[in-house]
């Protein structure tokens, strides 16, 4: 095999340097956000301006509004932090118990032996004992879980730090507010990408000190890093999703429909819980989710390449190709961010959404060039990829350029398709809004039809990427295609986090009694944020499909399965049961949101009916009671769906064996992707159809509005139905298909050695 142009020493320098650049850039963005003061004093009230920024509304007191902004920000921050700390306490118990499971299951493969054994690939060499693999897999699991936890927590902190600052900057103009929200999103994006990369790199370097030349054992144990990341992401997504949607549904149904008061009205008892939910669900949950995707795609690529010529030749540079792609992505995203914050200044509302979409295009084009450079410098001209049950595949380095590029551009196609089906600038959402003329039922029918139709192009894009990647480089090609889709992770997260921050900013503006101009600007930011959030979910689901397929390939390789034949009874049974699991999981999460929302609706109604002066605004509602309802319900209800996902691979693999488990993973992947895309886009379309009617920006919209009209009430009902679809069930499904795949990969040696107890007992 030909040598690479980069040296191992240079790679060991470049990867941590790229991560440090990302961290430093994140800190710079945080510093720039922090220059907007939310404290007391006249200077902070006007943020350096000599005169009041907005004094055109009678009775408006700027100083009082600024003080209220700070008070509301503190309430949201305290609520979010309290929930996450409580949730992480639960997760700490889970991590401890599951760590023991990993150690015992994998240690039992070799009878807890500490003796080095002959390697399968080369019997003349010695490989690490099973007990060591069990121990290092457990350590990697804990590292992944802690990094995922940190990613979610840091995201929540910066979002709650920036929300009120975005509101205050909106007094100057929409451009200033946009920059604060986007910079804050960038802090989260770059910290998460850099933290995930540096922790994984350090783990590989430290594990290598023990494993020496046993690279297969080294990278198989690293797979625990992805398992830890996705485990935390699952509970973060489900728990945060239940929290935010219980509050959102309660606030909307009683506040908007029954009491006819505006969204985020301070008289609504659920308004603080609703804004807290944006941070624990859409920020912390999404951060942990995309970190999990990054960790799993990297681990899948590393496991597959460790049994290729990269591993056999101990080529550290080529083995580090996935990490170099992520490193290049950080630099590309840094350049892309400068375009948004410094080169193209937002001057009007109409420029917000194009600016965000421009980020996607610029990052994709620049990343394509970066991929070409990395493929040329970090890969030998020719190498081989081992394929279980088949002859090794000879691959040239230029083929990996097309593999990574196919994932990258498929992500862009999914993003634009998602935007078309969820933005009220296009006809599909306007058709949904128009259907509200005849009531909620037709709105629901049109919204479901839109969601089903929106699946077509993303699935075709994923299919083309899979076919091209597998044809060129087998399962390794699919693994790096997933990395390609996630290579611009920092930009994707910045765009995604921008949405909830803007949403919170609008809520704070409403609760603080800001002038109408400010609320118009924050509403415009929020409307663009709804679309970008949908695009972010599309990226997460698309990358999950590629990641889970790559993990599936790594599992098949590690379990020694030559062929997955779906016409065989064991595999077909697994296939059909696996296809059912996303429906079961969705039913559990939807019902959990419904139960929590029921309690929230009853509490909001109780307060409106029993607290004198609440509707008149002379007394404050009991916000803490609603926060407690969401917290208790989400922590209680996140356990059953989480247990379903975590226990299913263990039970199926142990009782029915690796072949049945392979069928199960394939079935869950195929059905889970379709349901996730449909659910997310249906909910996003209903949300923006409602906003289309509320804003009344066109003659058509004005014929449906204004707020409080029958069409608007029908749109609100559609939005509340879509809330758990787009923010709980849909986003959680992509974690389901990834998590079951990476868990199967980690436990593959146990299933290969001891699995299939039931079939063995039946002598089948």
């Amino acid at each position: 095999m030909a040598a690479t142009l980069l040296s191992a020493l240079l790679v060991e320098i470049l990867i941590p340097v790229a991560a440090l650049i990302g961290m430093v850039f994140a800190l710079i963005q945080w510093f720039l956000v922090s220059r907007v003061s939310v404290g007391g004093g006249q200077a902070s009230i006007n943020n350096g301006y000599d005169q009041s920024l907005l004094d055109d509304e009678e009775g408006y007191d700027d100083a009082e509004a600024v003080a209220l902004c700070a008070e509301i920000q503190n309430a949201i921050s305290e609520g979010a932090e309290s929930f996450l700390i409580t949730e992480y306490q639960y997760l700490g118990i889970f991590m401890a118990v599951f760590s023991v499971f990993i150690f015992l299951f994998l240690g039992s493969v070799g009878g807890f032996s500490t003796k080095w054994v002959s390697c399968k690939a080369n019997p003349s060499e010695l490989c690490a004992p099973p007990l060591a693999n069990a121990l290092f897999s457990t350590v990697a699991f804990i590292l992944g879980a802690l990094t995922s936890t940190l990613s979610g927590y840091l995201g929540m902190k910066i979002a709650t730090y920036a929300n009120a600052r975005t509101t205050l900057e909106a007094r100057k103009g929409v451009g200033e507010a946009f920059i604060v929200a986007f910079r804050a999103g960038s802090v989260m994006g770059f910290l998460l990408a850099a933290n995930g990369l540096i922790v994984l790199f350090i783990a590989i370097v430290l594990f290598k000190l023990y494993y020496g030349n046993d690279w297969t054992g080294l990278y198989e144990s690293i797979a625990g890093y992805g398992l830890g990341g996705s485990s935390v992401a699952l509970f973060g997504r489900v728990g945060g999703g239940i929290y935010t949607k219980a509050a959102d549904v309660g606030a909307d149904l009683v506040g908007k429909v029954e009491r006819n008061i505006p969204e985020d009205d301070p008289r609504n008892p659920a308004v603080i819980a609703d804004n807290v939910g944006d941070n624990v669900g859409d920020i912390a949950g999404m951060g942990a989710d995309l970190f999990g995707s990054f960790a799993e795609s990297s681990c899948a690529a590393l496991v597959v390449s460790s049994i290729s010529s990269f591993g056999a030749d101990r080529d550290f540079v080529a083995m580090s190709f996935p990490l170099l792609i992520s490193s290049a992505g950080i630099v590309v995203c840094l350049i892309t961010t400068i375009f948004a914050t410094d080169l193209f200044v937002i001057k009007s509302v109409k420029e917000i959404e194009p600016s965000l979409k421009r980020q996607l295009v610029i990052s994709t084009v620049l990343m394509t060039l970066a991929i070409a450079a990395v493929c040329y410098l970090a890969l030998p001209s020719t190498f081989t990829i081992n394929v279980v049950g088949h002859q090794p595949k000879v691959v040239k380095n230029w083929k990996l350029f097309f593999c990574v590029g196919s994932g990258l551009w498929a992500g862009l196609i999914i993003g634009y398709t998602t935007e078309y089906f969820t933005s009220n600038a296009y006809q599909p959402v306007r058709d949904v809004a128009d259907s509200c003329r005849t009531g909620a039922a037709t709105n629901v029918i049109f919204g479901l039809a839109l969601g089903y139709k929106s699946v077509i192009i993303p699935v075709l894009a994923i299919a083309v990427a899979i076919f091209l990647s597998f044809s060129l480089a087998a399962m390794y090609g699919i693994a790096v295609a997933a990395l390609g889709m996630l290579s611009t992770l920092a930009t994707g997260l910045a765009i995604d986090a921008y949405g909830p921050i803007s949403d919170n900013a609008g809520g704070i503006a409403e609760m603080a009694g800001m002038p109408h101009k400010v609320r118009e600007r924050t509403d415009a930011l929020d409307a663009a944020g709804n679309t970008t959030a949908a695009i972010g979910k599309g990226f997460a689901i698309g990358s999950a499909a590629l990641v889970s397929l790559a993990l599936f390939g790594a599992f098949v390789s590690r379990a020694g399965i030559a062929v997955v034949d779906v016409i065989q009874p064991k595999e077909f049974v697994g296939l059909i049961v696996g296809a059912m699991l996303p429906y079961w999981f969705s039913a559990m999460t939807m019902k959990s949101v419904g139960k929590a929302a029921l309690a929230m609706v009853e509490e909001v109604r109780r307060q409106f009916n029993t607290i004198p002066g609440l509707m008149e605004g002379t007394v404050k509602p009991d916000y803490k009671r609603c926060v407690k309802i969401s917290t208790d319900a989400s922590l209680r209800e996140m356990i059953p769906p989480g247990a379903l996902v975590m226990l299913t691979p263990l039970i199926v693999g142990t009782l029915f064996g690796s072949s049945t488990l392979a069928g199960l993973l394939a079935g869950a992947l195929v059905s889970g992707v379709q349901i996730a895309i449909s659910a997310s886009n249906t909910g996003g379309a209903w949300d923006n159809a409602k906003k289309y009617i509320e804003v009344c920006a066109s003659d058509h919209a004005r014929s449906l509005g204004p707020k409080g009209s029958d069409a608007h009430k029908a749109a609100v009902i559609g939005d509340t139905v879509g809330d758990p679809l787009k923010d709980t069930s849909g986003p959680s499904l992509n974690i389901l298909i990834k998590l079951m795949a990476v868990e199967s990969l980690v436990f593959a040696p146990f299933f290969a050695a001891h699995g299939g107890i039931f079939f063995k007992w039946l002598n089948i």
Side-chain angles (χ1 to χ4, degrees), residues 78-156:
E78 288 173 6
E81 184 158 4
S82 174
F83 169 77
L84 286 183
I85 289 175
T86 307
E87 182 182 53
Y88 292 157
Q89 289 172 352
Y90 280 76
L91 288 178
I93 298 171
F94 159 76
M95 285 166 53
V97 172
F98 207 76
S99 296
V100 174
F101 271 40
I102 294 173
F103 182 76
L104 294 178
F105 273 60
L106 296 185
S108 68
V109 172
F112 298 96
S113 171
T114 58
K115 294 182 179 179
W116 287 66
V117 296
S118 297
C119 298
K120 291 180 181 178
N122 188 354
S124 64
E125 296 183 354
L126 291 179
C127 286
L131 188 64
N133 290 335
L135 177 62
F136 282 100
S137 294
T138 304
V139 172
F141 168 78
I142 295 171
L143 280 175
L146 291 175
T147 309
S148 183
T149 301
L150 180 65
S151 299
Y153 182 78
L154 289 176
M156 179 277 297

Side-chain angles (χ1 to χ4, degrees), residues 67-78:
L68 273 173
C69 283
E71 181 183 333
I72 296 163
Q73 180 194 43
N74 288 334
I76 294 171
S77 180
E78 288 173 6

Side-chain angles (χ1 to χ4, degrees), residues 27-81:
L27 292 175
I28 292 171
Q29 297 300 302
W30 173 83
F31 171 74
L32 293 173
V33 171
S34 69
R35 293 174 64 185
V36 180
S37 176
V38 191
Q42 185 63 36
S44 62
I45 289 171
N46 294 333
N47 282 301
Y49 282 62
D50 294 332
Q51 297 179 342
S52 178
L53 290 166
L54 287 166
D55 53 5
D56 57 341
E57 290 193 9
E58 187 177 349
Y60 171 69
D61 186 335
D62 204 31
E64 183 182 350
V66 172
L68 273 173
C69 283
E71 181 183 333
I72 296 163
Q73 180 194 43
N74 288 334
I76 294 171
S77 180
E78 288 173 6
E81 184 158 4

